[in-house]
Amino acid sequence: MMKETDSVHTGQIDGFIEQENKIRAGGGAGRVKKEHQKGKMTARERIKALIDEGSPFDEIGLWAGYEMYDDQGGCPAGGVITGTARISGQTCMIVANDATVKAGAWFPITAKKNLRAQEIAMENRIPVIYLVDSAGVFLPMQDEIFPDKEHFGRIFRNNAVMSAMGIPQIAAIMGSCVAGGAYLPIMSDEALIVDGTGSVFLAGSYLVKAAIGENVDNETLGGATTHTEISGVTDYKMPDDATCLATIRDLVGKLGPGSRAGFNRTESFEPAESTQNIQNSFPLDRNRPYDVMKVLDSIVDKGSFTEYKKGYGQTITTGYARIDGWSVGIVANQRLVVRTKSGEMQIGGVIYSDSADKATRFIMNCNQKKIPIVFLQDVTGFMVGKRSEHGGIIKDGAKMVNAVANSTVPKITIITGNSYGAGNYAMCGKAYDPRFIFAWPTARIAVMGGSQAANTLLQIEVAAHEKRGEVVTEEKKQEFLRQLMEKYEHQTDVRYAAARLWVDDIIHPASTRDRISRAIEVADHNPVIPEFRTGVLQV
């Protein structure tokens, strides 16, 4: 019989899936029809035709731009689709402009999403396939996308750096490719162009007319014939999308062998509990204690978990395990309330000095042994108060942050519940370079919990009014508090985080095991694991 909490979990996930389907529809059926009338596939149709049959497409940044540009008509998935999949047996990063969304124009989040895709490719040394179909920069927001280090131009810089690193880049011009965007395919190692629909030029016919008075049509200016037979800018002239995608598959299939890190992997065994039952071990109330080991039972191979320092620092669980056969180290926040041998009660989900000390040592061990680390975040932060401060909590927290920051083995982070304050940092949040960072629908990311933040802000607000000699009634205080809570709840929602790419994807809890396994498979493509050094630790 299904418990009430199970049905609520399922309802929440179903709601997310419904929203995801709307995002995947891009600019809508009308725009899709127009693309088909031009003889073009949509971006998602291109990806489906490109990847190996049966290969999962692990999308990155599906929620990018969610509710961020509603005043501009919206930008589903940030107007570009990115993710990893196998092409002719080779794991690749795919970047495909979605021409159904503002003709594939670049919003600020589009650039950020492209840069994240390139970052993943560089960190893991996997080939990149660009399916180019874009009208260029979204001009009303050009000041937010053009000149800075993490703006549009950084993409072309990365093209050059990846080429120098020996990371193959293949670009297919399958629609518009104008102005600065023209550099992306041409700075790739090889470029294909589709005849009749693909075009690439620094300035289109209207701008050419305005700038130098020359009359020329776009096809003559920068179509497939021009660039394969006259300028030599592109390498392959393709009659249609299908042939173009088949040719990319052929080119990828002929890539030379690549080196691997060789992370330890043995025969895979099913977890002790079904992956479908994982959400049953996780309470809906994010303040309620639960045993993270029951969550791990649906992730790790049965019988593979060896716990490290089990009786010490119990608000963080650490240990070695296997996930789908891969050897991993696990650092997970433990939400049970425990009593230490000294009699101290420790609140679950809070990092104490002993927990930070244990996690630091374990992270160092994983680096010493060249074992990837999986972080499971459900953390409300480090313990505060006189006793903790006198005990050196800042020092111990700094040790853990130091170890995470300098860790050189692949780090994969899953945010299951709370992710507050410095706990986000210590448990390998986005700022600490996880190879991949995923979140469950139940995740919340903020500098502190909603009620604490709202009450802190309320005190500041009331003090400001009283300083001006204004009387703040209890009714007015409650209204302030309600408004603050509403704003804070909206900003801590995992969709708010995913829209801004603070996480790579919101995943179904049941897919956690598979996503971790495939993330390590991607990470294994980079054979270079630098020497681990922490620098000065506050011991």
Side-chain angles (χ1 to χ4, degrees), residues 31-242:
R31 292 295 309 177
V32 170
K33 184 178 180 180
K34 287 182 179 179
E35 293 300 300
H36 288 166
Q37 288 172 343
K38 295 174 186 176
K40 295 163 62 178
M41 296 179 179
T42 65
R44 293 191 182 276
E45 289 168 346
R46 288 167 177 165
I47 291 171
K48 185 177 180 181
L50 178 64
I51 66 178
D52 294 351
E53 187 175 351
S55 169
F57 177 61
D58 288 328
E59 189 162 355
I60 299 296
L62 172 65
W63 292 84
Y66 178 71
E67 294 185 341
M68 287 177 65
Y69 305 109
D70 288 354
D71 58 335
Q72 300 287 353
C75 186
V80 63
I81 301 162
T82 60
T84 58
R86 286 184 175 273
I87 301 172
S88 297
Q90 169 70 57
T91 299
C92 297
M93 170 60 71
I94 301 167
V95 179
N97 298 115
D98 187 351
T100 71
V101 179
K102 295 287 193 298
W106 290 65
F107 283 68
I109 199 66
T110 316
K112 187 174 182 179
K113 187 171 174 179
N114 272 262
L115 290 170
R116 176 58 180 153
Q118 289 182 322
E119 180 182 45
I120 291 170
M122 286 190 282
E123 286 180 334
N124 300 291
R125 302 284 179 103
I126 57 174
V128 187
I129 311 300
Y130 303 101
L131 306 181
V132 183
D133 193 348
S134 172
V137 168
F138 185 65
L139 290 177
M141 306 187 77
Q142 65 84 28
D143 62 316
E144 299 180 44
I145 189 173
F146 172 63
D148 211 343
K149 182 177 178 179
E150 294 185 348
H151 285 177
F152 195 53
R154 186 75 172 183
I155 294 165
F156 317 135
R157 175 264 186 195
N158 287 351
N159 287 141
V161 170
M162 280 191 283
S163 187
M165 291 172 67
I167 298 171
Q169 297 173 86
I170 299 171
I173 303 164
M174 309 183 79
S176 298
C177 183
V178 300
Y183 288 106
L184 185 148
I186 310 311
M187 292 189 73
S188 300
D189 300 322
E190 293 183 281
L192 305 85
I193 185 167
V194 178
D195 192 21
T197 55
S199 60
V200 55
F201 32 64
L202 293 181
S205 57
Y206 292 124
L207 183 54
V208 167
K209 173 67 174 176
I212 63 173
E214 182 179 52
N215 288 306
V216 62
D217 63 85
N218 284 339
E219 187 64 28
T220 303
L221 188 65
T225 299
T226 294
H227 285 310
T228 55
E229 299 177 19
I230 300 174
S231 72
V233 165
T234 56
D235 306 306
Y236 306 93
K237 180 180 179 180
M238 299 285 106
D240 50 44
D241 279 11

Side-chain angles (χ1 to χ4, degrees), residues 83 126 130 187 207 251 301 308 311 343 370 433 451 481 522 532-533:
I126 57 174
Y130 303 101
M187 292 189 73
L207 183 54
L251 293 171
D301 293 12
Y308 175 81
K370 302 292 188 288
D433 298 324
S451 60
L481 189 62
V522 171
F532 173 66
R533 297 181 61 183

Side-chain angles (χ1 to χ4, degrees), residues 127-362:
V128 187
I129 311 300
Y130 303 101
L131 306 181
V132 183
D133 193 348
S134 172
V137 168
F138 185 65
L139 290 177
M141 306 187 77
Q142 65 84 28
D143 62 316
E144 299 180 44
I145 189 173
F146 172 63
D148 211 343
K149 182 177 178 179
E150 294 185 348
H151 285 177
F152 195 53
R154 186 75 172 183
I155 294 165
F156 317 135
R157 175 264 186 195
N158 287 351
N159 287 141
V161 170
M162 280 191 283
S163 187
M165 291 172 67
I167 298 171
Q169 297 173 86
I170 299 171
I173 303 164
M174 309 183 79
S176 298
C177 183
V178 300
Y183 288 106
L184 185 148
I186 310 311
M187 292 189 73
S188 300
D189 300 322
E190 293 183 281
L192 305 85
I193 185 167
V194 178
D195 192 21
T197 55
S199 60
V200 55
F201 32 64
L202 293 181
S205 57
Y206 292 124
L207 183 54
V208 167
K209 173 67 174 176
I212 63 173
E214 182 179 52
N215 288 306
V216 62
D217 63 85
N218 284 339
E219 187 64 28
T220 303
L221 188 65
T225 299
T226 294
H227 285 310
T228 55
E229 299 177 19
I230 300 174
S231 72
V233 165
T234 56
D235 306 306
Y236 306 93
K237 180 180 179 180
M238 299 285 106
D240 50 44
D241 279 11
T243 307
C244 182
L245 297 167
T247 304
I248 295 173
R249 288 184 51 79
D250 179 65
L251 293 171
V252 173
K254 290 183 171 69
L255 290 174
S259 300
R260 292 291 189 102
F263 294 121
N264 183 315
R265 192 180 197 186
T266 59
E267 182 183 356
S268 173
F269 292 94
E270 290 298 312
E273 293 290 332
S274 167
T275 57
Q276 300 301 318
N277 293 338
I278 191 169
Q279 65 197 45
N280 300 344
S281 305
F282 192 84
L284 286 167
D285 181 353
R286 291 189 303 280
N287 297 313
R288 207 178 102 196
Y290 65 93
D291 189 355
V292 76
M293 288 302 303
K294 294 187 180 299
V295 175
L296 290 173
D297 281 344
S298 296
I299 297 175
V300 306
D301 293 12
K302 184 178 180 179
S304 71
F305 191 77
T306 304
E307 189 164 357
Y308 175 81
K309 289 185 180 291
K310 181 177 181 179
Y312 179 69
Q314 294 178 67
T315 61
I316 288 183
T317 294
T318 54
Y320 304 102
R322 291 192 181 275
I323 296 178
D324 195 20
W326 293 104
S327 171
V328 300
I330 291 175
V331 180
N333 298 114
Q334 175 58 277
R335 289 303 302 265
L336 291 176
V337 178
V338 298
R339 186 182 294 276
T340 66
K341 286 192 174 180
S342 65
E344 179 189 6
M345 290 296 292
Q346 292 192 343
I347 302 167
V350 178
I351 302 176
Y352 291 78
S353 285
D354 54 357
S355 302
D357 179 67
K358 175 173 80 170
T360 301
R361 178 65 179 269
F362 182 72

